[in-house]
Amino acid sequence: MDKFTVVITDCDHGSIEEEKSEMAAINARLVLLPAGMPNDLVESCARAEGIINQYALLTREFLERLPRCQVIARYGVGVDTIDLQAATDLGIIVANVPDYCIDEVADHSLALLLAVVRKTAFYDRRIKAGEWDFRPGMPIFRMRGKTMGLIGSGKIGMEVARRIASFGVRVIAYDPYLKPAELPFELVSLDYLLRESDFISIHCPLNEGTRHLVGTEAFEKMAKKPIIINTSRGPIIAEKALIAALQAGQVSGAGLDVLEKEPPDSASPLLKMGNVVLSPHVGFYSAASISELKRRTARNVAEVLTGKWPAAVVNKEVRGKTRAHFA
Ligand code: NAD
């Protein structure tokens, strides 16, 4: 006899094996709704004690019609699909998985940086076009002794710092919310970072304070013609200004996993630049990170339904007025 019903509103991960095994452990019936927003989403979710969500929008009107729901777990970090205030008002816990791909994004940032510095993508394109010659990529400079500036140094920035330090690269960071004590690198002003860095890697969140943080004014302050790496969010860089800075030689290369417009227009000059390496917003991904994401998302639901406060609650203010019962 199933003790609970848990509904996955939508999921494009291919399989739901991890979710199934987590739900089996608490005797929950797991229902995966068909692809696309079904018309009877409310009906399907009305009997559920737990909901797992990917893209479907869970509005206040929708949440008000789910009398049994105790928890909504979102795959991933962002919870912009869920009306958080409504969930809190209704006593529904919203949980996420904020750290399932830290290693992947840090590795990807290094992969982009190395591809630009060592020109591996450039050579690969030329060899496949029939040319075997290292000279077109000259000069290539030595990494040891260079300075890497991190804009934002939370979980991912910290891992990038750890990795790049082993290349003999000095790390400095601009992060207005960190305290210097116990950091393995120097915290500096944004102006100093722009002036001193040979590489600049962006790891702050996108918000109104960081949108176009790296724009014309910032590029003008970059004294060392740095390489820019962005695995965070596209709009943190003003893309037109970046293109102009690349064309003017103010910036000597870029490795971008994220763009202002994804995918880019086919006319984007970035697609033609030999010193720019692009990837299709894949930094989060490895087979292991997705498996971990799925398991931990389902576990957030299992924990609430078995009376435990889950690992990462987004609407912490719901505590004390939840529908769930905690030991
Ligand atoms: P985090 O919250 O651990 O760290 C973000 C850091 O940015 C914090 O230390 C914060 O103090 C700092 N910060 C905030 N505002 C700032 C500002 N105005 N200037 C400088 N620093 C500022 O987040 P994280 O886990 O390290 O993730 C960083 C970003 O990576 C996320 O916001 C997300 O956009 C991006 N991300 C991308 C992918 C991908 O697939 N490419 C995957 C996961 C995360």
Side-chain angles (χ1 to χ4, degrees):
M1 169 76 179
D2 297 320
K3 280 175 78 177
F4 311 105
T5 297
V6 174
V7 172
I8 303 179
T9 59
D10 57 323
C11 168
D12 66 5
H13 299 143
S15 100
I16 55 163
E17 287 313 307
E18 291 85 348
E19 294 87 331
K20 274 187 191 158
S21 98
E22 292 295 323
M23 291 303 108
I26 61 158
N27 289 330
R29 185 170 74 98
L30 183 64
V31 180
L32 170 61
L33 297 183
M37 184 93 162
N39 296 331
D40 61 347
L41 189 65
V42 172
E43 204 182 303
S44 310
C45 293
R47 279 185 297 273
E49 282 85 12
I51 289 183
I52 295 175
N53 165 248
Q54 190 172 16
Y55 302 120
L57 287 183
L58 309 186
T59 60
R60 177 178 286 273
E61 194 198 3
F62 173 77
L63 298 181
E64 280 172 348
R65 294 166 71 188
L66 311 182
R68 302 174 65 87
C69 179
Q70 299 176 28
V71 55
I72 300 171
R74 170 93 218 285
Y75 289 115
V77 188
V79 287
D80 42 334
T81 51
I82 304 159
D83 185 329
L84 272 187
Q85 188 56 53
T88 305
D89 294 345
L90 293 163
I92 301 171
I93 293 171
V94 176
N96 68 346
V97 187
D99 55 355
Y100 69 99
C101 60
I102 307 302
D103 281 329
E104 281 75 9
V105 184
D107 291 349
H108 201 80
S109 305
L110 264 286
L112 289 172
L113 177 66
L114 289 170
V116 180
V117 172
R118 295 299 313 170
K119 305 193 178 171
T120 50
F122 169 83
Y123 283 124
D124 179 68
R125 287 188 291 259
R126 294 183 81 105
I127 291 170
K128 287 172 181 167
E131 177 188 85
W132 181 269
D133 187 357
F134 74 90
R135 287 168 301 188
M138 292 167 75
I140 292 179
F141 56 79
R142 178 178 280 174
M143 286 186 67
R144 186 170 296 280
K146 295 282 188 285
T147 297
M148 156 80 89
L150 303 171
I151 298 184
S153 193
K155 296 183 284 299
I156 295 171
M158 209 66 95
E159 283 304 314
V160 170
R162 219 188 297 279
R163 284 158 173 72
I164 195 74
S166 69
F167 285 75
V169 169
R170 169 193 177 220
V171 179
I172 56 176
Y174 165 68
D175 189 319
Y177 302 102
L178 288 184
K179 304 258 173 327
E182 293 172 25
L183 289 176
F185 44 73
E186 195 187 344
L187 275 182
V188 298
S189 69
L190 183 57
D191 277 4
Y192 181 88
L193 181 145
L194 297 172
R195 202 170 58 237
E196 290 295 318
S197 299
D198 302 286
F199 316 132
I200 295 179
S201 196
I202 299 175
H203 302 289
C204 58
L206 173 64
N207 54 40
E208 281 322 302
T210 61
R211 184 176 295 275
H212 287 192
L213 180 68
V214 182
T216 306
E217 216 182 298
F219 291 122
E220 279 165 5
K221 292 177 181 164
M222 295 178 186
K224 294 191 171 171
K225 300 183 172 54
I227 289 168
I228 313 285
I229 304 300
N230 190 6
T231 56
S232 188
R233 287 291 180 265
I236 297 170
I237 296 181
E239 211 160 282
K240 279 193 182 138
L242 171 65
I243 291 166
L246 283 158
Q247 286 164 339
Q250 276 174 321
V251 164
S252 54
L256 308 171
D257 186 47
V258 289
L259 295 170
E260 278 207 89
K261 182 160 177 265
E262 296 173 6
D265 290 332
S266 57
S268 169
L270 293 172
L271 301 180
K272 299 238 156 36
M273 294 177 169
N275 53 349
V276 172
V277 177
L278 303 173
S279 59
H281 201 146
V282 65
F284 68 94
Y285 175 75
S286 74
S289 68
I290 292 302
S291 177
E292 180 180 336
L293 170 66
K294 289 154 67 60
R295 186 167 297 287
R296 288 174 58 191
T297 302
R299 193 163 297 167
N300 279 336
V301 171
E303 288 190 324
V304 173
L305 299 186
T306 54
K308 294 182 211 92
W309 191 250
V313 173
V314 182
N315 57 342
K316 293 192 175 55
E317 57 288 6
V318 77
R319 195 155 205 163
K321 53 175 175 173
T322 58
R323 288 179 182 171
H325 302 291
F326 296 100

